[in-house]
Amino acid sequence: MNRVGHVFKELFRNLYKNPGTSLSAILSMTLLFLLFDIFWVAADTSDKFYENYLSDLKMEVFISEEYPDSSLGVIKDEIKRIDGVSSMTFISKETARKELADLVGIDLLVGYDSSNPLPQSLILTFQSDVLNSTDLSAIENRIMSQQGVSNVYYSKNWLAKAESTKNIIADIGLLLGGLILLTVLVSSANNMRLTAKTRAVGFYQMRLLGAGKLLLAMPFIIEGVFLGALSAGIGWGMIFYWKDKLQFANFEIIFPTFEEIGLYCLAAGLLGLVSGYVGIRRLLRL
């Protein structure tokens, strides 16, 4: 019990006697964590926007002009058997003409009632697990191998660019997270080292009296955990304070769940634990 009391006594003494160092550590770590928090929110928001936009992606299968209408059922049945196809809508020549007229505001095929040049087609939608370049390309090749199919169209180039952008964002997140992790570790460890140097004489005296290394290091390790978790929590507190002030009409801002934020603050505390030990380990060699 005396050891526990000593640990917390030393902890509060460190915070009380070195408020500038503690405040500097909190401000610097809060700024770094806030930067990562903003990127986290932006990445989740862009992912959600990407998923919503991708869910509207459709593939149009054009039927050859010479293919007999009596055999359309064969193509439909073959396409329905393809894994990942969730729905199919048949677009007749007349429907295609009406949609073209609605699009341009005028019927461009007046006088072509008996020889409508627009092709018949099938509009396909897909399950979410196949909405990627690799699977859709495989589906496209399988459909093109069907007799009676003249062409297949979907936003292939847009999808490839969107996936490339998504991968770049993920790579930036890993790089940014690594840099912030390293910076927080170095910054916090330096603050702990400065605090520990002011206690070097006391450390030496305690070691002469037989105090163990763990007992001496524990106040600094707990301080590191406290400052790390507190800084992460302050960062999220600032974001949620501004949350209601940021509203966009075209998309919804996606925030992590409170469970994810709790785990994030816990991880920040563990990072503080490591930085506390790194900052104090040199004095433990006395």
Side-chain angles (χ1 to χ4, degrees):
M1 188 67 182
N2 291 335
R3 291 184 178 181
V4 174
H6 169 77
V7 168
F8 283 97
K9 180 181 178 181
E10 290 297 314
L11 170 63
F12 288 114
R13 179 182 295 177
N14 289 343
L15 296 174
Y16 176 78
K17 287 191 173 182
N18 302 282
T21 303
S22 299
L23 182 61
S24 173
I26 291 175
L27 291 177
S28 61
M29 288 192 294
T30 297
L31 180 61
L32 292 168
F33 285 137
L34 181 61
L35 177 62
F36 185 78
D37 297 343
I38 293 173
F39 178 84
W40 187 355
V41 172
D44 282 353
T45 300
S46 63
D47 281 347
K48 185 64 176 180
F49 181 79
Y50 172 78
E51 291 174 4
N52 291 339
Y53 196 90
L54 197 61
S55 64
D56 295 329
L57 189 145
K58 296 178 176 61
M59 179 181 289
E60 189 164 9
V61 181
F62 294 97
I63 309 300
S64 300
E65 186 70 25
E66 62 275 7
Y67 195 75
D69 293 345
S70 59
S71 300
L72 284 176
V74 177
I75 295 180
K76 292 179 180 179
D77 291 340
E78 289 295 331
I79 293 178
K80 286 179 180 178
R81 295 192 187 100
I82 298 177
D83 293 335
V85 176
S86 60
S87 69
M88 176 190 303
T89 303
F90 175 68
I91 305 297
S92 64
K93 288 176 173 289
E94 292 74 19
T95 303
R97 177 178 178 176
K98 183 178 182 303
E99 290 182 353
L100 178 62
D102 292 340
L103 181 64
V104 300
I106 186 175
D107 188 358
L108 300 176
L109 299 179
V110 175
Y112 291 89
D113 297 331
S114 59
S115 57
N116 185 342
L118 297 177
Q120 300 179 111
S121 63
L122 300 170
I123 305 294
L124 310 180
T125 60
F126 301 94
Q127 299 171 4
S128 59
D129 57 339
V130 300
L131 288 174
N132 57 77
S133 295
T134 302
D135 289 335
L136 288 181
S137 179
I139 292 174
E140 177 190 12
N141 293 334
R142 182 170 175 182
I143 292 175
M144 283 298 298
S145 66
Q146 301 293 324
Q147 184 179 4
V149 175
S150 62
N151 195 17
V152 173
Y153 173 80
Y154 66 99
S155 302
K156 182 187 300 186
N157 293 333
W158 174 88
L159 181 60
K161 291 178 180 179
E163 289 179 340
S164 176
T165 302
K166 186 178 180 181
N167 291 334
I168 291 174
I169 292 175
D171 292 340
I172 292 175
L174 290 175
L175 178 61
L176 181 62
L179 289 175
I180 289 176
L181 176 70
L182 181 60
T183 305
V184 168
L185 182 62
V186 172
S187 175
S188 180
N190 284 336
N191 285 327
M192 290 296 175
R193 188 175 293 113
L194 290 174
T195 302
K197 282 184 177 181
T198 64
R199 304 287 313 284
V201 174
F203 253 71
Y204 186 66
Q205 292 174 346
M206 292 292 290
R207 288 293 290 156
L208 291 177
L209 293 174
K213 293 182 178 181
L214 181 61
L215 179 65
L216 295 175
M218 192 57 66
F220 295 91
I221 291 176
I222 294 177
E223 181 181 350
V225 173
F226 173 73
L227 295 181
L230 179 63
S231 300
I234 291 175
W236 280 113
M238 295 172 65
I239 287 179
F240 278 98
Y241 174 77
W242 291 319
K243 176 182 178 181
D244 296 332
K245 304 179 186 298
L246 296 174
Q247 298 292 335
F248 297 92
N250 296 329
F251 58 89
E252 176 187 4
I253 299 178
I254 305 300
F255 294 90
T257 64
F258 285 107
E259 180 181 357
E260 290 173 333
I261 292 175
L263 292 174
Y264 175 79
C265 292
L266 177 61
L270 294 176
L271 180 62
L273 183 151
V274 174
S275 63
Y277 173 76
V278 171
I280 198 67
R281 64 177 183 151
R282 184 171 296 177
L283 282 179
L284 295 179
R285 298 171 183 171
L286 293 175

